[in-house]
Amino acid sequence: MHRHHRYWAAAKGAAGTAEEPYRAGTLAQALEQARTRHAHEPRFAQVLGVCSFLVDGDPVGVRDHASVTLRDGAVVEVLPPFAGG
């Protein structure tokens, strides 16, 4: 079972890594595992709170994270708001 979070920009800096594995069946569970893993870095939870998420390239949008199921091999991309235009 290979599932990974990919962190971009500020989320990558707060996590201290660009990618890490997780074991979860829903996006809510995966994000809770990430928060627990990085509990020593308070900025991580703050950044995660303003991020948007893609699951296998598809935007999650405003869907309830508990309703977003993750298949084996799913990649969750964590995208902070980007400045500029």
Side-chain angles (χ1 to χ4, degrees), residues 8-26:
W8 299 96
K12 178 180 173 181
T17 186
E19 187 172 292
E20 64 187 3
Y22 69 87
R23 295 177 69 91
T26 68

Side-chain angles (χ1 to χ4, degrees), residues 53-69:
F53 305 96
L54 302 176
V55 175
D56 293 331
D58 293 325
V60 171
V62 297
R63 286 183 286 163
D64 179 358
H65 294 166
S67 73
V68 178
T69 58

Side-chain angles (χ1 to χ4, degrees), residues 1-7 19-35 37 54-56 68-78:
M1 179 183 326
H2 299 286
R3 298 175 180 176
H4 289 87
H5 290 113
R6 284 194 187 135
Y7 299 114
E19 187 172 292
E20 64 187 3
Y22 69 87
R23 295 177 69 91
T26 68
L27 179 57
Q29 292 168 342
L31 295 176
E32 185 55 35
Q33 286 178 17
R35 284 185 193 95
R37 179 177 289 150
L54 302 176
V55 175
D56 293 331
V68 178
T69 58
L70 303 172
R71 65 167 185 79
D72 282 352
V75 174
V76 175
E77 295 186 72
V78 181

